[in-house]
């Protein structure tokens, strides 16, 4: 929509892609992405899995779970329970793009994966499915009582790190997100249409507002992490 001149600027949970730069240039302007916050991707499961001993997952296990190579939780340190992964369509953009590229390494979802419309539907489905697992930006998962966020490890030789600040999971793990201790973090951006007109001015003003002291406080209040830590 930004390239089609329907927006002056936009927020994005991923940087601009090469093809988007190229499309903008063919239309006579450039795009610029300005990082304004840090976010983490959290994986969440049906609470019964945690009660039955599931401690966490590694990035490799997550990839194998969502691509259908691991289909039972006992293969990932959990109970003897079939796994049902829930995901938005892999072409949905934003968080899904990041997950598809960084976690799945552009492999397709397994045949046992079920497509959901959005994070709300994913949370509802995981809550009522015994072996369910989903993923979302961490700020959308905190304070959810019907699911449990899983600690995540970079690999089998690394320690599990929770996306939550404490056991109650009422806030995100800002310290470990900011210091790249949590294995799956990303930057959030304001995308500016560089056309030398009001579009560009509006985008610059908005990005500067978010990068101000007050703006970074607002970033943290909404469940993300200040990029200025």
């Amino acid at each position: 929509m930004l390239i089609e001149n329907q927006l002056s600027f936009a927020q994005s949970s991923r940087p601009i892609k090469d093809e988007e730069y190229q499309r903008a240039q063919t239309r006579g302007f450039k795009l610029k992405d300005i990082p304004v916050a840090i976010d983490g991707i959290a994986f969440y499961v049906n609470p019964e899995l945690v009660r039955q001993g599931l401690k966490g997952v590694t990035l490799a296990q997550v990839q194998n779970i969502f691509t259908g190579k691991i289909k039972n939780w006992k293969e990932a340190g959990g109970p003897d329970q079939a796994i049902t992964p829930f995901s938005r369509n892999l072409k949905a953009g934003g968080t899904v793009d990041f997950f598809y590229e960084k976690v799945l390494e552009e492999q397709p979802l397994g045949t046992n994966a079920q497509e959901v419309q959005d994070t709300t539907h994913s949370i509802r489905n995981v809550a009522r499915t015994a072996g369910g697992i989903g993923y979302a930006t961490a700020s959308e998962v905190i304070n959810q009582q019907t699911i449990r966020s899983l600690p995540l490890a970079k690999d089998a030789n690394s320690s599990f790190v929770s996306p939550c600040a404490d056991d109650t999971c009422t806030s995100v793990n800002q310290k470990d997100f900011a210091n790249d201790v949590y294995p799956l973090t990303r930057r959030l951006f304001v995308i500016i249409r560089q056309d030398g007109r009001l579009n560009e001015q509006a985008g610059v003003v908005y990005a500067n507002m978010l990068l101000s002291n007050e703006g970074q406080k607002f970033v943290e209040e909404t469940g993300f992490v200040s990029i200025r830590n």
Side-chain angles (χ1 to χ4, degrees), residues 15 35 43 60 112 154 168 170:
F43 296 91
N112 61 329
K154 183 177 180 180
T168 61
T170 55

Side-chain angles (χ1 to χ4, degrees), residues 10-77:
Q11 297 180 142
S12 177
S13 54
R14 61 165 176 79
I16 302 167
K17 295 183 177 181
D18 289 342
E19 58 264 33
E20 291 167 336
Y21 278 115
Q22 294 167 5
R23 283 178 58 201
Q25 288 179 331
T26 63
R27 293 173 181 265
F29 59 88
K30 296 180 180 180
L31 295 177
K32 181 179 181 180
D33 47 26
I34 300 177
V36 295
I38 299 170
D39 182 31
I41 302 299
F43 296 91
Y44 49 89
V45 295
N46 185 284
E48 190 60 30
L49 293 170
V50 176
R51 285 192 284 267
Q52 294 186 43
L54 182 63
K55 303 298 183 184
V57 286
T58 67
L59 285 173
Q61 286 173 330
V62 169
Q63 182 187 96
N64 288 332
I65 285 169
F66 278 87
T67 56
K69 297 180 180 68
I70 292 179
K71 294 186 177 181
N72 193 297
W73 281 109
K74 66 182 178 182
E75 300 175 64

Side-chain angles (χ1 to χ4, degrees), residues 9-175:
F9 60 88
Q11 297 180 142
S12 177
S13 54
R14 61 165 176 79
I16 302 167
K17 295 183 177 181
D18 289 342
E19 58 264 33
E20 291 167 336
Y21 278 115
Q22 294 167 5
R23 283 178 58 201
Q25 288 179 331
T26 63
R27 293 173 181 265
F29 59 88
K30 296 180 180 180
L31 295 177
K32 181 179 181 180
D33 47 26
I34 300 177
V36 295
I38 299 170
D39 182 31
I41 302 299
F43 296 91
Y44 49 89
V45 295
N46 185 284
E48 190 60 30
L49 293 170
V50 176
R51 285 192 284 267
Q52 294 186 43
L54 182 63
K55 303 298 183 184
V57 286
T58 67
L59 285 173
Q61 286 173 330
V62 169
Q63 182 187 96
N64 288 332
I65 285 169
F66 278 87
T67 56
K69 297 180 180 68
I70 292 179
K71 294 186 177 181
N72 193 297
W73 281 109
K74 66 182 178 182
E75 300 175 64
D80 185 2
Q81 173 68 57
I83 298 174
T84 304
F86 292 94
S87 175
R88 291 161 56 201
N89 188 288
L90 292 181
K91 296 182 179 179
T95 298
V96 184
D97 261 356
F98 181 83
F99 174 74
Y100 178 57
E101 293 175 5
K102 301 298 183 181
V103 179
L104 298 189
E105 297 179 335
E106 301 189 357
Q107 298 180 68
L109 293 169
T111 56
N112 61 329
Q114 296 190 19
E115 185 173 314
V116 289
Q117 178 180 346
D118 51 33
T119 299
T120 298
H121 285 87
S122 176
I123 290 173
R124 290 174 180 170
N125 278 282
V126 168
R128 61 176 176 240
T129 305
I133 180 173
Y135 63 93
T137 182
S139 61
E140 295 180 309
V141 178
I142 59 174
N143 283 321
Q144 297 288 343
Q145 303 301 313
T146 59
I147 55 173
R148 292 293 179 271
S149 297
L150 281 182
L152 183 65
K154 183 177 180 180
D155 52 48
N157 297 316
S158 303
S159 300
F160 288 123
V161 183
S162 175
C164 306
D166 53 43
D167 291 341
T168 61
C169 202
T170 55
S171 60
V172 300
N173 189 348
Q174 292 188 345
K175 180 180 178 181

